[in-house]
Amino acid sequence: MKAGYLQFAPRYLQPEANRETVAELVTDLDADLLVLPELFPSGYYFKSQSDLEQVAEPIPEGETTQALLQWASDTGTTFVAGLAEREGGAIFNSAVLVRPNQTTETYRKVHLFYEETERFDPGDLGFPVFEASTRSGQTYRLGIMVCFDWYFPEAARSLALNGADVIAHPSNLVLPHCPDAMPVRARENHLYSITANRFGTETKGDEELTFIGMSEICGPTGEILRRASRDEVEIGIESFDPHDARERHINRFNDTLGDRRPETYVTQ
Amino acid sequence: MKAGYLQFAPRYLQPEANRETVAELVTDLDADLLVLPELFPSGYYFKSQSDLEQVAEPIPEGETTQALLQWASDTGTTFVAGLAEREGGAIFNSAVLVRPNQTTETYRKVHLFYEETERFDPGDLGFPVFEASTRSGQTYRLGIMVCFDWYFPEAARSLALNGADVIAHPSNLVLPHCPDAMPVRARENHLYSITANRFGTETKGDEELTFIGMSEICGPTGEILRRASRDEVEIGIESFDPHDARERHINRFNDTLGDRRPETYVTQ
């Protein structure tokens, strides 16, 4: 399959302009799976709760998911993209999976970072894994985590144990460590990961957040297949067989998931 | 505290010579904690089960633990060292903690690598954390894991949840990835780690294992405080306050262990 990330710098509180930017970039897309950054329609560092409320959208009725459905239909590509999701009185930092067959799935960020803890509701859907398929009809299992979830090994591990071949990882990274940690996540779970990050800077009063770019595709033995620049728009695509993730033998004696010994682990 | 590793190349099946090598190296030791490699008295790649049986020792009665007790007494240093442990009819790939006050504790390797799976019994003591103290009387909490345990995030996580400030990590690494993974383990659990590796090559028939050296000390924000060469004898010591591990706030909203959401994790 051909799969990768779209890295760009969303403009704060300009969802129409951001969707237009993406729409232009994906016009001639040749990919089975494309991952977009966290909160790509809205930007990240909300100056107020009302700013966030203004851009939160229902899934799939909102304009962003509708745009993604159109792009998926036009290109045959499966998209995973981050956005603020409104559901009833709650707002989640979500990622939506949109298939060319016009079905959608939702992941809601479990580990909220920094002021997100005051703005968003914590994800309440766990770490589900979804079936997806390439344009040629190969099916594979796709898990989603969002940005700061990388910090907690339990996130990627939960997706692996739920059967993920590929992790889509929409992000707005500010800490510098994630690009060196994702190869470890990919290796310890023997799967592919696609981190789609943004770049640029956002401010709120005296505070400034700079996003580090460096979107990344990692393979199941921990190799970095592709890493983006720190500050340039880029669609990065790699070709791989997602089923390679399923052969989890490290050598003839050891297996990445099979050698776990849950009865010895502390989990609370 | 002053803590670190002793890196050397044990000679196969020569426990007396290997203990003598270490005895000379630690004569003028100035450290509160020193970690030695996995299976340091015996070497690693056993040519037969009888070779292993020949060097397996009870803890603390065996000659190796007795030597460690002497060194701890002479230097005031707490040691953590890997050795083949015989207990009844079982043989474990263990690490012994030896305090200057002449008490000992044992960890038995949970995740066995490669032919170890046929030679050793799997560890049956879980991931306990032990109290230790510096020469000046500061107490801290010390966890142990051995070599391949690094591959499974649950090992270091279990030690962190059991309260470890420092992880001692006796190793005989052959895979190249561990030196880049231990900073991630240290950061995701916000603690210190000390990997004591060996170097050199051992053979069994046509098979050859080369150990990668690169012993390493990591700090709680994922910094590599010290890394050894690939092929030289080295005692590497760093000064740090083990209680720094206990301030686990990433920022004013996030906490490394406190932000875990076990109710969302898959663990089986």
Side-chain angles (χ1 to χ4, degrees):
Chain A
M1 68 183 291
K2 290 184 171 184
Y5 53 77
L6 186 162
Q7 170 172 299
F8 79 118
R11 280 167 283 185
Y12 184 69
L13 237 56
Q14 298 190 44
E16 281 184 37
N18 291 325
R19 286 191 292 265
E20 197 167 308
T21 297
V22 173
E24 285 171 23
L25 288 165
V26 302
T27 302
D28 299 315
L29 189 63
D30 171 19
D32 298 294
L33 171 65
L34 190 72
V35 185
L36 271 56
E38 180 184 15
L39 295 169
F40 91 90
S42 60
Y44 178 81
Y45 202 13
F46 296 103
K47 298 185 199 303
S48 67
Q49 193 66 13
S50 68
D51 273 11
L52 171 56
E53 285 165 5
Q54 180 183 329
V55 294
E57 309 176 36
I59 296 174
E61 300 83 2
E63 288 182 61
T64 297
T65 307
Q66 291 301 311
L68 287 158
L69 284 161
Q70 185 64 51
W71 304 334
S73 176
D74 291 347
T75 60
T77 302
T78 298
F79 285 85
V80 175
L83 76 166
E85 178 195 8
R86 176 193 304 278
E87 194 215 40
I91 300 180
F92 298 99
N93 185 341
S94 294
V96 63
L97 182 164
V98 176
R99 301 185 185 90
N101 72 2
Q102 305 295 287
T103 57
T104 68
E105 310 282 358
T106 303
Y107 166 73
R108 293 170 175 164
K109 188 176 185 178
V110 165
H111 302 100
L112 298 172
F113 181 70
Y114 206 60
E115 292 187 7
E116 293 171 41
T117 55
E118 299 189 326
R119 301 246 179 264
F120 291 95
D121 293 274
D124 58 356
L125 300 175
F127 291 96
V129 169
F130 307 107
E131 187 149 300
S133 64
T134 65
R135 292 166 293 177
S136 66
Q138 184 189 32
T139 60
Y140 61 97
R141 292 177 64 82
L142 180 58
I144 304 173
M145 60 187 202
V146 172
C147 202
F148 188 52
D149 286 326
W150 75 265
Y151 211 101
F152 301 83
E154 293 90 347
R157 185 62 113 203
S158 295
L159 293 171
L161 290 171
N162 281 337
D165 303 311
V166 181
I167 292 179
H169 183 211
S171 295
N172 278 190
L173 300 166
V174 290
L175 300 178
H177 312 292
C178 182
D180 290 333
M182 285 309 294
V184 178
R185 296 283 175 259
R187 184 190 313 122
E188 71 200 16
N189 294 296
H190 202 269
L191 44 66
Y192 291 91
S193 67
I194 302 169
T195 299
N197 195 25
R198 64 163 292 175
F199 60 90
T201 296
E202 291 189 357
T203 57
K204 194 192 96 174
D206 291 343
E207 292 199 78
E208 186 176 276
L209 291 182
T210 296
F211 305 94
I212 65 169
M214 301 175 73
S215 296
E216 194 171 75
I217 305 174
C218 299
T221 59
E223 67 275 30
I224 298 172
L225 300 174
R226 181 181 281 262
R227 183 184 277 184
S229 73
R230 292 175 179 275
D231 52 8
E232 284 176 26
V233 175
E234 182 184 332
I235 292 182
I237 303 285
E238 290 290 318
S239 293
F240 56 81
D241 181 348
H243 292 185
D244 288 347
R246 299 179 185 186
E247 172 43 68
R248 290 198 156 96
H249 279 83
I250 300 167
N251 54 53
R252 70 183 190 274
F253 296 97
N254 292 111
D255 182 278
T256 306
L257 296 181
D259 286 351
R260 295 175 69 252
R261 295 192 55 207
E263 74 281 11
T264 70
Y265 302 153
V266 180
T267 57
Q268 295 286 336
Chain B
M1 67 184 291
K2 289 185 172 181
Y5 53 77
L6 186 161
Q7 171 173 297
F8 79 119
R11 280 168 282 184
Y12 183 69
L13 236 57
Q14 298 191 41
E16 281 184 38
N18 290 325
R19 287 192 293 264
E20 199 168 305
T21 296
V22 173
E24 285 170 22
L25 288 166
V26 303
T27 303
D28 299 315
L29 188 64
D30 171 20
D32 298 293
L33 171 65
L34 191 71
V35 185
L36 272 57
E38 180 185 15
L39 296 169
F40 90 91
S42 60
Y44 177 82
Y45 202 12
F46 295 104
K47 298 185 201 304
S48 68
Q49 193 67 12
S50 66
D51 273 11
L52 170 56
E53 284 166 6
Q54 182 183 329
V55 295
E57 308 176 34
I59 296 174
E61 300 83 1
E63 288 182 62
T64 297
T65 308
Q66 291 300 311
L68 287 158
L69 284 161
Q70 185 63 53
W71 303 335
S73 176
D74 292 347
T75 60
T77 302
T78 298
F79 285 84
V80 175
L83 76 167
E85 177 195 8
R86 175 194 303 279
E87 196 215 39
I91 300 181
F92 298 100
N93 185 341
S94 294
V96 61
L97 182 165
V98 175
R99 300 185 185 89
N101 72 3
Q102 304 295 286
T103 58
T104 68
E105 309 281 0
T106 303
Y107 166 73
R108 293 171 175 163
K109 188 176 185 178
V110 165
H111 302 99
L112 298 173
F113 181 69
Y114 205 60
E115 293 189 5
E116 294 171 42
T117 55
E118 299 189 324
R119 300 243 178 266
F120 291 95
D121 293 272
D124 58 356
L125 301 174
F127 291 96
V129 169
F130 307 108
E131 187 149 298
S133 64
T134 66
R135 290 166 294 176
S136 67
Q138 184 189 31
T139 60
Y140 62 96
R141 293 177 63 81
L142 181 57
I144 305 173
M145 61 188 202
V146 172
C147 202
F148 189 52
D149 285 328
W150 76 264
Y151 211 101
F152 301 83
E154 292 91 347
R157 185 62 113 201
S158 295
L159 293 171
L161 290 170
N162 280 340
D165 303 312
V166 182
I167 291 178
H169 183 212
S171 294
N172 278 191
L173 300 165
V174 291
L175 300 178
H177 312 290
C178 182
D180 291 333
M182 285 309 294
V184 178
R185 296 284 174 259
R187 183 190 315 120
E188 71 200 15
N189 294 296
H190 202 268
L191 43 68
Y192 292 90
S193 67
I194 303 170
T195 299
N197 195 25
R198 63 163 293 176
F199 60 90
T201 296
E202 291 189 358
T203 57
K204 195 192 95 174
D206 291 343
E207 291 199 79
E208 185 177 277
L209 291 182
T210 295
F211 305 94
I212 66 168
M214 302 175 73
S215 296
E216 193 171 75
I217 305 174
C218 299
T221 59
E223 66 274 29
I224 296 171
L225 300 174
R226 180 181 282 262
R227 182 184 279 184
S229 73
R230 292 177 180 274
D231 53 8
E232 284 177 25
V233 175
E234 183 184 330
I235 293 183
I237 304 287
E238 290 290 317
S239 295
F240 56 80
D241 182 347
H243 292 184
D244 287 347
R246 299 179 185 184
E247 173 43 68
R248 290 198 156 94
H249 280 83
I250 300 167
N251 54 55
R252 69 184 190 274
F253 296 97
N254 291 111
D255 182 277
T256 307
L257 296 181
D259 286 352
R260 296 175 67 253
R261 296 190 56 206
E263 75 280 11
T264 69
Y265 302 153
V266 180
T267 57
Q268 296 287 336

